[in-house]
Amino acid sequence: MTNPPPAPEPAAAAETPGSAAPGDRQVSGPRRSGEPRRPTLRSDLRASWPDGLVALVITAAVFVLLYIRIRNKTSSTVTVMPFMADAGGFWMYFLSQAFGWSALLWAWGTVILGLLLSGPRPSRLPLSGPRLERLHRTTSLNTIALIAAHALLFAAELVRHDTAAWNSAVATAFVEAFVPGGYDSGTGRIAIPVGQAALYLAIPLGLLFYVRHRIGPKTWRVLHRCVIVVYVLSVWHTLLYGTNVWYDGWFRTGVWLLQLPIAALLLLRLLRPARRSEKLPGSPGASAGARTGWALRLGGRLAVAAVLVALVAIVASGKDGGRSVPPEDTSSTHNHD
């Protein structure tokens, strides 16, 4: 592992996730020959189609897998909601699930790329720094699109099975799918607002990169670090509401297992930051502000280390908060009780 040279404080060095590589730094004034262009949303959208195409292929594969498991009655979804054994009748719900799983996978990859770019990284990577950074930005954009597709298909499924007039069905579905507190049934009372928070934070935090020259790199860096919150909310939403991972087993444990590299890279990022201002000094300093900053940095490192230890214990023990037995009474509704 090699530590990249410290970046000057005003520069837009890479952070997690959605930031710019050193080769993509802002250019002020007229662009001279050989100077890099500042990435724009339009250019990144054009560059995102190969990554987006892969995401759609993965989504299709997940949908087929979910559909087959439902049809063969090997999915825990059928245990939770027996009425969904009619795979053809609820194909849109399973498609929404497939988009949710691919969104979680793309969010995972985006965070991994961001941590690799902003902290110590292997000396040899298959892509150069600028290309890795562009991939990081395109996966971030596609993550937003996948989360939005997941939510829209969930709302469309609610409309499809609502017997009320179409305008009333659309209004009800909008409230339940997009208004916090609008879905008031079963675990959805918590899980749906958690997912909504992930969506509503992902959009501005993912797009702030393209206006960071207006808000200032320091403000952008502070806000951009909150992207990790979006990922945590996405995982929480999945573990709460994903009927595929309700029960203890390899599938649920696999979700926890995926969090190990993120926690490890985040801890490494905190222990060996690229910026001098983020390093933990040997002593807290004399002033109250210096002592507070030192305590916060130390506390952050200890908290991430504790999370890493907890993740190892969860994966090793298989005790990850899943249900050990099917519920005694499953109802033919969307209750997710």
Side-chain angles (χ1 to χ4, degrees):
M1 303 284 287
T2 59
N3 201 14
E9 289 301 319
E15 300 284 351
T16 49
S19 56
D24 289 333
R25 290 175 184 164
Q26 300 174 20
V27 178
S28 58
R31 192 173 74 92
R32 299 181 181 89
S33 176
E35 288 183 335
R37 292 181 181 274
R38 183 169 59 214
T40 64
L41 178 58
R42 179 179 298 180
S43 66
D44 281 348
L45 285 173
R46 285 198 300 265
S48 68
W49 72 265
D51 175 65
L53 184 60
V54 174
L56 290 177
V57 171
I58 296 296
T59 301
V62 173
F63 171 72
V64 170
L65 176 62
L66 294 176
Y67 191 92
I68 291 175
R69 285 173 56 82
I70 292 292
R71 191 181 61 186
N72 295 340
K73 296 181 173 59
T74 57
S75 171
S76 59
T77 297
V78 178
T79 304
V80 179
M81 299 178 290
F83 68 101
M84 282 198 171
D86 177 13
F90 292 93
W91 66 269
M92 192 175 291
Y93 181 80
F94 305 132
L95 184 58
S96 171
Q97 280 191 321
F99 271 102
W101 280 110
S102 57
L104 185 63
L105 179 60
W106 252 247
W108 180 87
T110 299
V111 173
I112 290 288
L113 288 171
L115 290 170
L116 284 174
L117 286 163
S118 63
R121 70 184 80 167
S123 56
R124 293 183 180 179
L125 288 174
L127 296 176
S128 65
R131 289 186 177 182
L132 199 65
E133 172 55 32
R134 169 163 277 195
L135 178 62
H136 174 52
R137 296 196 306 271
T138 59
T139 56
S140 177
L141 292 174
N142 280 313
T143 298
I144 295 172
L146 291 167
I147 296 175
H150 169 62
L152 288 169
L153 282 166
F154 179 74
E157 170 70 4
L158 294 177
V159 173
R160 184 165 171 259
H161 288 277
D162 197 328
T163 57
W166 72 268
N167 55 335
S168 176
V170 170
T172 300
F174 176 81
V175 170
E176 292 188 345
F178 295 104
V179 178
Y183 196 96
D184 59 357
S185 179
T187 56
R189 286 174 292 186
I190 298 176
I192 296 297
V194 169
Q196 291 165 341
L199 172 62
Y200 297 146
L201 285 174
I203 294 173
L205 291 177
L207 298 181
L208 274 176
F209 167 78
Y210 302 101
V211 295
R212 67 180 186 171
H213 58 289
R214 296 182 182 276
I215 65 175
K218 186 175 181 179
T219 300
W220 175 79
R221 285 197 302 271
V222 171
L223 293 173
H224 191 63
R225 287 166 184 160
C226 297
V227 172
I228 194 70
V229 176
V230 175
Y231 179 73
V232 171
L233 290 172
S234 300
V235 175
W236 187 14
H237 169 76
T238 300
L239 293 172
L240 278 176
Y241 206 60
T243 50
N244 320 97
V245 291
W246 263 35
Y247 300 115
D248 289 329
W250 68 268
F251 200 17
R252 185 179 179 92
T253 301
V255 174
W256 287 104
L257 186 63
L258 285 174
Q259 312 319 313
L260 282 173
I262 287 183
L265 284 172
L266 180 57
L267 181 60
L268 189 61
R269 161 71 175 81
L270 293 174
L271 293 176
R272 296 172 58 189
R275 294 178 178 276
R276 289 187 296 270
S277 62
E278 296 176 3
K279 295 182 184 296
L280 186 66
S283 59
S287 67
R291 289 195 297 271
T292 301
W294 187 88
L296 288 174
R297 290 191 177 93
L298 178 62
R301 287 156 172 78
L302 293 176
V304 175
V307 168
L308 182 59
V309 171
L311 287 172
V312 171
I314 287 172
V315 172
S317 66
K319 303 297 182 181
D320 49 21
R323 293 160 174 80
S324 57
V325 294
E328 295 180 0
D329 180 27
T330 55
S331 73
S332 55
T333 68
H334 282 77
N335 283 341
H336 279 49
D337 288 327

